[in-house]
Structure formats: structure tokens, C-alpha cells
Amino acid sequence: MKRIAFVLGMALALPLAASEPAKVTAAAPPRSELTLSQAFDLAWQRQPAAQALPGRQAQSRAESELAAAWTPSAPKVTLGTLTDRYNDRAGWREWEAELAVPLWLPGQRDAQQALAQSQQALVGLQAGAQRLELAGMLRDAWWRLAAAANASALAQGRLDWANALLVDVDRRWRAGELPRTDANVARAEAQVAESESIEARNGERQAANAWRALTGVAPPTSLPEEAPAAAAADPLSANPRLLAINAAIARARARAHLQDKSAREAPELTLRVLREQSNSAEPWANAVGVKISIPFSSGPRLASEGAGVAADLAEAEAQALQLREQLQLDAEAARLDLQAADHRLALARTRAELAADTLALVQRAFTLGEADLATLLRARAAASDADAERGRQRIARASAISQLNQVIGVLP
């Protein structure tokens, strides 16, 4: 009714112009042949996390190789010399060489390997969680684009109908079958429809730009809905976010185990070689020795490191519990939303069918002169609103499917 009142108000102040229908000059954004899965792959390649992933994987592999080494760190060589020869070449001199090799503490090497393996697993699973986050952004952009395209198509349909009505009313006005006020109302309706079409196309262009910023390519020509995820006993068991946080717990436990096996710094085994000459007339005397250095443990340092590791583990476990509970609630809400969307879509389809049938009847009556223009415009507005609602509910249902897949952790 507000739309009809607005159109009638414009008609009172609008002089009759030429009878050519109004045209929208704004062009639709270019389209591409692309599925949601293909778009997801393109969007992931553009992400900084994806570009950093090979480096992080190489780092975790290097840490795993380091943990598998025979020593916790590289050996070191020390060279030294002593002499009392300043200006006299016949005095005493000594050369010394040392090779120091650090040693693993009991159980430390296995603990370090377990930590390296847990870190390597965490890198891949964190990438999976980042991919799921990107999938959510892409799904939102996909359905915003679908909604904008649907609104643009509906606006163009209203414009086409308004232009056709304008031609018919203008012809009948010139033939004396309709008053001039009806011709003015028809032109006002066409101009309102043109304005709405321009606005809808602008919204579609903005949605297309957001899509292009995310994927780097033009929007797809078609935007079909996703298939619902298959039912499972525990649909959250493969959720990348849960897998990543469980891997973080495993890493925290591995760190705690390593800290327990690293009560002190690594001991060192040193091989010494000594060459000594009392004076130039004496032969060189050689000696070989071994020494071992065992650092003492530090109670305050161990307490500080242990508290930090325990805090990280407790935090990761609490986050995992909280995330699982939240995902369970989100999954249940998503299922209910999908059921509600199914029901609303069925109602919207029935309403659209009834409105379309009413419009066809009123259109026939208007053509035969049995109904006035205001009645036709009301019927057209009702049919347009019902058609728009059906499109919105269709997209809302498809979006609800995507949201359920997102909560469960299914990638496009």
C-alpha cells in the first residue's frame, strides 16, 4: 500500500512525457563459470596463511630432524695455546684442542621427538582450521551475492512489467479508453521501478566486488546451494577447529613431558688433546684426556617453566571443552534454522502462487476494462512482494544448509 501511495503521489506532480519506456543503463557485473569449491581453492591460495604454510611445515620438519639427532645440539671444538716465549725461541709452549659433545638426558630425546611430532601435526591442523574460517567467509559472500543477484533480477522484472504497462496504458489513453491520470501513474510506476532496478544493480555490484576481493575472480554465473552434510554419530568429530585445539592439547602435554625430562642443561662430554714442549731441545709430549660437565638443576627455573607449561595445558583443555559445547549448541541451532527455513519456503511458495494467480486475473480484468489501474497496481505489488519473499526464503534455506555444514566443519 505504501508503494501504491508513493506512485500515486508522484503521478499527481508528474507531467506526461514521451511514451517510450524507461531504460536502465547500468550494466550487470561480469560473471565466470566457477563452483563454490573452485572458488574456495582460489581464495585459499590468496591467503597469507596459505603462503606461509610451506615455510611452517619446513620448520616443523627441521625440528623433527633435530629431535632425531644423536646430540641435542651441535658439538663444538676449542683450540688454545700457551707459551713463555716472548723474544726467546727456546722457551716452553703448549697446544691444546678440545671436542665437546652435548649429551641427551635420560628420556629427553624421546620427549623431544614427541614434541616435534605434535608440533608438526599441529601446523597442518591449524591450517585446516584457517581453511574452515575462510570457508565461512566465502559462504557468506556467496549467499550475499545470491541475494543481491536475486534482488536485481526481481527489480529488473518489475521494471520490464512497468514498461510494458506504460506502453499499454499510454496506448489506451491516446485512444481515449483511459484518463490521463492513469497514464501519469503508469509512468511514475516505471520510473520508480527504474530507480529500484538501478539501486539493486548497485547492490549486486558491491557484492560482486566483495567476492572479487576474496577470490580474485569474477562472480559465478550460477549460485547453487550446497548438499547437506551426511548424518554421522558424532558430526563434530572431524571439525577442523576441534582437531586443531586437540592437537594443541597434545603439544602442551608433550611440552610438559619434555620439561619433566629436562631438569637441567645438557651435560657435555669433552675429549682433550694436549701437546707440550719444555724447550726447543726437548721433544713434544702428547697427552689425551676426557672430561664431563654436568650442570646442576635450578629449582626456581624448573618451577617457573613447569607452571607455565601447566597453565598452557589447562588453558588448551578448557578451550577444547568450551569449543565443543559451543559447536554442539551451534549445530543444534543450525538444524532448527534449517527446519524453519524449509517451512518458511513452503509458505512463501504458496503465497507467491496465490499472488501470481490473483495478478493474472486482475490483469485480464484490466485489459477488458473491468478493473481500474489502482487495483492492478495493488495486485502487482502483492505479487512482487510475494515473489521477492519466495526468493529470499529460497536463499535463506540454502544459506542455512551452508551454515550447518560450516558448524559441522565441512569444507566446500
Side-chain angles (χ1 to χ4, degrees):
M1 293 300 296
K2 292 182 178 179
R3 175 182 172 86
I4 300 299
F6 176 67
V7 171
L8 292 174
M10 285 189 61
L12 295 177
L14 183 69
L16 184 62
S19 60
E20 286 297 322
K23 300 293 183 183
V24 176
T25 58
R31 297 281 178 166
S32 65
E33 295 293 339
L34 200 68
T35 65
L36 182 59
S37 178
Q38 293 170 338
F40 175 70
D41 292 337
L42 292 175
W44 173 246
Q45 293 172 10
R46 292 165 55 87
Q47 295 300 304
Q51 298 176 19
L53 181 59
R56 298 191 187 282
Q57 291 174 332
Q59 180 186 9
S60 63
R61 286 194 299 268
E63 291 176 352
S64 181
E65 293 173 0
L66 179 62
W70 288 105
T71 59
S73 58
K76 58 184 177 182
V77 174
T78 303
L79 299 176
T81 182
L82 290 173
T83 182
D84 62 357
R85 298 180 181 184
Y86 297 103
N87 297 318
D88 184 4
R89 297 179 59 84
W92 167 83
R93 60 180 176 174
E94 176 185 282
W95 287 93
E96 182 180 15
E98 291 185 353
L99 174 63
V101 180
L103 304 176
W104 291 106
L105 292 170
Q108 187 182 34
R109 184 186 182 193
D110 292 340
Q112 187 69 48
Q113 289 178 333
L115 177 60
Q117 292 171 359
S118 65
Q119 176 63 32
Q120 193 168 3
L122 179 61
V123 169
L125 293 174
Q126 282 181 334
Q130 291 170 331
R131 284 168 60 84
L132 181 61
E133 182 180 0
L134 174 64
M137 298 169 57
L138 188 69
R139 282 166 167 145
D140 288 343
W142 180 273
W143 294 119
R144 283 199 301 268
L145 185 63
N150 179 69
S152 180
L154 289 174
Q156 183 61 45
R158 287 194 294 268
L159 177 59
D160 294 340
W161 182 88
N163 284 334
L165 176 67
L166 174 59
V167 171
D168 181 51
V169 171
D170 183 71
R171 176 186 58 78
R172 294 173 65 180
W173 165 67
R174 296 182 183 280
E177 298 177 6
L178 294 175
R180 181 173 177 175
T181 55
D182 283 357
N184 287 346
V185 168
R187 175 153 295 277
E189 171 71 15
Q191 293 193 353
V192 170
E194 181 179 5
S195 176
E196 291 179 352
S197 181
I198 293 173
E199 183 178 359
R201 287 190 181 277
N202 185 55
E204 184 181 11
R205 188 173 294 105
Q206 291 176 356
N209 289 339
W211 172 271
R212 188 184 294 273
L214 193 59
T215 63
V217 295
T221 53
S222 61
L223 297 159
E225 66 180 38
E226 293 185 81
D234 184 7
L236 299 178
S237 59
N239 187 291
R241 294 176 64 190
L242 275 179
L243 294 177
I245 201 166
N246 288 335
I249 293 175
R251 183 187 62 173
R253 289 173 177 166
R255 284 184 58 199
H257 183 59
L258 176 61
Q259 194 272 337
D260 183 60
K261 297 298 182 180
S262 304
R264 55 177 58 88
E265 298 295 332
E268 284 188 348
L269 178 66
T270 304
L271 174 65
R272 301 180 63 198
V273 178
L274 180 66
R275 299 197 69 195
E276 184 179 54
Q277 187 181 42
S278 299
N279 57 65
S280 59
E282 295 291 335
W284 285 91
N286 300 322
V288 178
V290 175
K291 70 177 181 180
I292 185 169
S293 61
I294 302 177
F296 289 104
S297 61
S298 172
R301 180 181 67 83
L302 292 176
S304 174
E305 293 179 354
V309 170
D312 291 341
L313 177 57
E315 182 180 7
E317 290 175 342
Q319 288 178 344
L321 179 61
Q322 186 179 42
L323 178 60
R324 172 168 280 277
E325 291 176 350
Q326 184 62 52
L327 288 177
Q328 288 174 343
L329 293 174
D330 290 345
E332 183 61 25
R335 293 188 185 94
L336 293 176
D337 287 344
L338 179 56
Q339 293 175 5
D342 285 334
H343 187 57
R344 289 195 301 267
L345 179 58
L347 293 175
R349 284 172 174 167
T350 301
R351 175 190 170 190
E353 291 171 358
L354 293 174
D357 184 59
T358 300
L359 176 61
L361 295 174
V362 174
Q363 179 74 58
R364 188 179 302 111
F366 177 76
T367 302
L368 298 175
E370 298 175 356
D372 58 13
L373 182 59
T375 302
L376 176 61
L377 292 178
R378 284 194 297 270
R380 174 58 191 176
S384 178
D385 290 343
D387 200 26
E389 180 66 14
R390 179 175 55 184
R392 285 192 296 267
Q393 294 304 329
R394 178 183 59 81
I395 294 172
R397 179 186 180 278
S399 179
I401 294 175
S402 294
Q403 181 60 29
L404 179 58
N405 290 347
Q406 179 71 22
V407 172
I408 294 175
V410 178
L411 297 177

